[in-house]
């Protein structure tokens, strides 16, 4: 899972360079749209390469929801809480859900009108929330509700996170290299 900012300036060539690197992985990869990816026509390049800005994947009994939370880069209301809730609601069809979004709801770049409704959905359905944007690894409970929000580190900081899913449990390990 890639937490966004796969490019710096949203240029098609940057997307291609990253694809040349990531296609060497021995497993599939998913990329959520980051704010740098939106620069210029980057959101259109992203859509061409990866599909819609919001997506849902099901692997066995694990659901991964990619959500566009880059509110500073769009003039329209883009944090689609209805999409998020619709894909979290049918809990009988998954054991674990991971919500991968670039900007976290407690970040100053997030639409503050959507912060509490977003946090409420996370509290209600209890997915595993992952976010990029800050490029430093942190786990926090910003709402004192027992929900851990993970900010994914950056390979430029020589770190990545390995998620391990066993049954209904998700654990993580930070790997430095």
């Amino acid at each position: 899972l890639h937490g966004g900012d796969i490019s710096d300036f949203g240029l098609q060539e940057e997307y291609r360079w990253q694809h040349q690197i990531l296609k060497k992985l021995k497993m599939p990869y998913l990329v959520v749209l980051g704010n740098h990816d939106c620069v210029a026509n980057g959101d259109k390049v992203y859509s061409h390469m990866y599909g819609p800005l919001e997506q849902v994947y099901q692997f066995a009994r694990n659901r991964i929801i990619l959500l566009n939370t880059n509110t500073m880069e769009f003039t329209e209301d883009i944090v689609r809480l209805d999409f998020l809730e619709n894909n979290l609601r049918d809990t009988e069809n998954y054991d674990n859900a991971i919500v991968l979004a670039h900007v976290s709801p407690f970040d100053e770049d997030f639409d503050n009108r959507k912060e509490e409704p977003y946090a409420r959905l996370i509290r209600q359905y209890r997915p595993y929330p992952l976010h990029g944007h800050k490029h430093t690894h942190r786990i926090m409970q910003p709402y004192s509700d027992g929900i851990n929000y993970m900010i994914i580190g950056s390979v430029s900081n020589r770190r990545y996170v390995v998620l391990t899913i066993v049954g209904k449990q998700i654990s993580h390990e930070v790997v430095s290299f």
Side-chain angles (χ1 to χ4, degrees):
L1 303 176
H2 192 293
D5 289 349
I6 198 166
S7 73
D8 202 14
F9 302 105
L11 301 174
Q12 185 171 1
E13 196 61 30
E14 292 175 310
Y15 278 95
R16 284 189 187 137
W17 292 333
Q18 289 300 318
H19 176 69
Q20 292 305 313
I21 294 167
L22 294 172
K23 76 177 186 178
K24 296 174 187 172
L25 292 170
K26 292 177 175 44
M27 72 261 327
Y29 69 92
L30 302 175
V31 178
V32 73
L33 183 71
N35 62 308
H36 287 267
D37 305 327
C38 298
V39 179
N41 287 319
D43 56 323
K44 291 173 183 51
V45 176
Y46 175 95
S47 294
H48 178 74
M49 287 188 73
Y50 298 110
L53 303 184
E54 291 87 18
Q55 301 177 43
V56 178
Y57 295 89
Q58 187 92 15
F59 296 99
R61 301 250 335 135
N62 302 291
R63 181 165 295 172
I64 301 172
I65 301 168
L66 277 58
L67 187 68
N68 179 14
T69 57
N70 299 291
T71 58
M72 299 294 288
E73 284 68 37
F74 292 86
T75 55
E76 67 272 12
D77 182 15
I78 56 98
V79 180
R80 294 192 42 221
L81 296 177
D82 58 333
F83 175 84
L84 180 59
E85 183 169 23
N86 288 339
N87 287 288
L88 288 173
R89 183 179 293 132
D90 65 332
T91 56
E92 68 279 353
N93 290 314
Y94 63 86
D95 291 336
N96 302 294
I98 296 170
V99 175
L100 179 62
H102 187 64
V103 180
S104 65
F106 46 88
D107 190 281
E108 64 273 2
D109 291 338
F110 192 85
D111 180 349
N112 63 2
R113 297 169 300 154
K114 299 281 183 101
E115 180 179 2
E116 177 48 38
Y118 184 98
R120 190 176 330 111
L121 287 174
I122 300 299
R123 257 190 312 280
Q124 179 178 353
Y125 294 103
R126 305 191 75 75
Y128 198 91
L130 297 175
H131 300 280
H133 195 49
K134 293 299 184 184
H135 304 272
T136 56
H137 177 75
R138 294 191 327 243
I139 295 177
M140 36 199 328
Q141 290 187 16
Y143 305 108
S144 301
D145 57 5
I147 304 291
N148 287 323
Y149 287 75
M150 183 185 297
I151 309 298
I152 302 169
S154 167
V155 291
S156 64
N157 292 328
R158 306 195 57 81
R159 296 176 124 183
Y160 62 92
V161 175
V162 174
L163 291 180
T164 302
I165 302 172
V166 178
K168 294 185 178 193
Q169 298 297 314
I170 301 176
S171 61
H172 78 279
E173 173 188 0
V174 178
V175 178
S176 298
F177 60 97

